[in-house]
Amino acid sequence: MFEAKLQQGGLLKKILESVKDLVVDGLWDCDGAAITLQGMDSSHVALVEMLLRAEAFEHYRCDRNVTLGMNHNHLSKILKCANNDDIVILKAADQNPDSCSLILESKNGEKTSDFVVSLVRIDTDQLGIPETEYSAHVKMSSGEFQRICRDLSQFGDAVQITCSKQDVKFSSSGETGKANITLTHSATVDKEEESVTVDLKEPVDLTFALRFLNLFTKATPISDTVTLSLSQEAPLVVEYKIGDSGHIRYFLAPKIQE
Amino acid sequence: KPKQPSIMNFFTKA
């Protein structure tokens, strides 16, 4: 039997909003320690990995490892019925389940809703994500990053990210013209979510498709800050922490000049 | 026009 009870249903709502426009169907791997979701967009350009450890749950029981093939649109419809402060319980049999139950309990306990969603067969390959030493880590406000990606999308379909010791520059150009946004490394980190910290081993200069970055920033409500990890020749990692009990990581390869 | 590689060029099947 797999059963997981989340005190804050709003978190699951935000997680679905973070992945459903990028990955239609995803494999939710549940084991004794955590729920892990990994999926790619339909064109296999980007990858998202979500991890939510058992400690995030009020109650977590997973007698045998079970993989739930979830259609994220169906799951999102159910979660649209949930309030942020509802308790959400996920339940599934652990012998090749063909469905998953979701129970929503209102905070005052007067309303209980239960849904059964059919699981989908997904035969995507699970990819191994190698541990990588990155040349640069940029930690910044998630809202700021979302705003930069949105604003620069008006100038071009790609953003060039250049990191130096002092700052990180986002540039885009197209027929509208050229736009540069430069964030200076904050000297003092007083308010974490408003500062920009650049941890640089060596300078990087990479170009990424804004269409995907704007899909990644759907996770902005999950965390006040976002961390970008960059290396020449390696996919960009855009990471949003889920409190202390997990993360959502998006991976996107840099564009290469023909 | 710059090319967009697939993520599968970088991560192997587990």
Side-chain angles (χ1 to χ4, degrees):
Chain A
M1 180 71 188
F2 170 69
E3 186 170 331
K5 180 174 184 178
L6 196 61
Q7 189 66 29
Q8 275 293 325
L11 173 58
L12 203 54
K13 284 164 72 84
K14 289 176 187 170
I15 289 172
L16 257 293
E17 288 308 302
S18 305
V19 300
K20 75 175 177 64
D21 298 331
L22 187 70
V23 178
V24 177
D25 294 328
L27 284 175
W28 293 52
D29 281 319
C30 310
D31 65 21
I35 297 178
T36 308
L37 160 65
Q38 189 194 92
M40 285 183 276
D41 66 293
S42 53
S43 53
H44 290 186
V45 165
L47 178 81
V48 61
E49 180 210 53
M50 188 282 295
L51 172 87
L52 194 54
R53 278 187 281 276
E55 77 229 19
F57 296 87
E58 188 76 13
H59 161 77
Y60 187 92
R61 178 185 153 198
C62 183
D63 304 332
R64 303 163 59 104
N65 293 5
V66 64
T67 298
L68 308 173
M70 290 284 195
N71 173 301
H72 292 151
N73 289 323
H74 299 165
L75 195 48
S76 173
K77 284 186 181 130
I78 292 173
L79 289 170
K80 283 208 179 357
C81 307
N83 293 322
N84 280 331
D85 57 3
D86 278 355
I87 290 172
V88 175
I89 299 166
L90 284 164
K91 257 188 200 172
D94 51 17
Q95 304 269 9
N96 300 326
D98 57 5
S99 69
C100 172
S101 301
L102 274 98
I103 294 114
L104 311 180
E105 291 173 359
S106 68
K107 197 169 176 185
N108 60 17
E110 285 164 13
K111 175 182 171 189
T112 305
S113 322
D114 70 85
F115 305 84
V116 176
V117 61
S118 302
L119 297 176
V120 294
R121 269 200 52 69
I122 307 172
D123 51 3
T124 55
D125 309 302
Q126 290 294 342
L127 297 182
I129 301 169
E131 282 303 311
T132 307
E133 274 294 303
Y134 288 97
S135 306
H137 296 278
V138 178
K139 183 171 181 180
M140 61 188 287
S141 147
S142 56
E144 187 62 56
F145 180 61
Q146 181 176 43
R147 179 67 194 274
I148 289 171
C149 292
R150 191 172 54 217
D151 290 350
L152 289 182
S153 310
Q154 306 191 71
F155 295 89
D157 58 7
V159 57
Q160 180 184 7
I161 303 180
T162 319
C163 287
S164 69
K165 262 276 178 271
Q166 297 72 26
D167 53 29
V168 51
K169 188 169 83 169
F170 301 85
S171 309
S172 184
S173 60
E175 71 267 8
T176 323
K178 186 162 172 51
N180 290 313
I181 300 174
T182 302
L183 300 178
T184 309
H185 182 173
S186 313
T188 58
V189 178
D190 39 8
K191 284 191 75 177
E192 195 189 30
E193 65 271 8
E194 274 155 27
S195 64
V196 177
T197 47
V198 179
D199 162 21
L200 194 84
K201 290 182 182 56
E202 53 192 279
V204 289
D205 175 354
L206 295 161
T207 301
F208 300 98
L210 279 163
R211 183 167 82 82
F212 288 100
L213 296 189
N214 284 317
L215 285 171
F216 297 174
T217 57
K218 302 265 183 188
T220 300
I222 292 254
S223 167
D224 289 341
T225 58
V226 64
T227 300
L228 313 180
S229 300
L230 305 105
S231 275
Q232 298 300 122
E233 320 303 328
L236 163 73
V237 189
V238 179
E239 178 178 47
Y240 298 85
K241 292 274 188 218
I242 304 178
D244 300 331
S245 40
H247 61 250
I248 295 187
R249 285 182 189 142
Y250 299 94
F251 300 84
L252 177 65
K255 284 180 167 277
I256 42 179
Q257 291 306 331
E258 283 288 27
Chain B
K1 186 134 173 59
K3 197 165 121 353
Q4 174 64 57
S6 158
I7 196 68
M8 295 180 83
N9 295 8
F10 295 85
F11 297 157
T12 51
K13 293 176 185 168

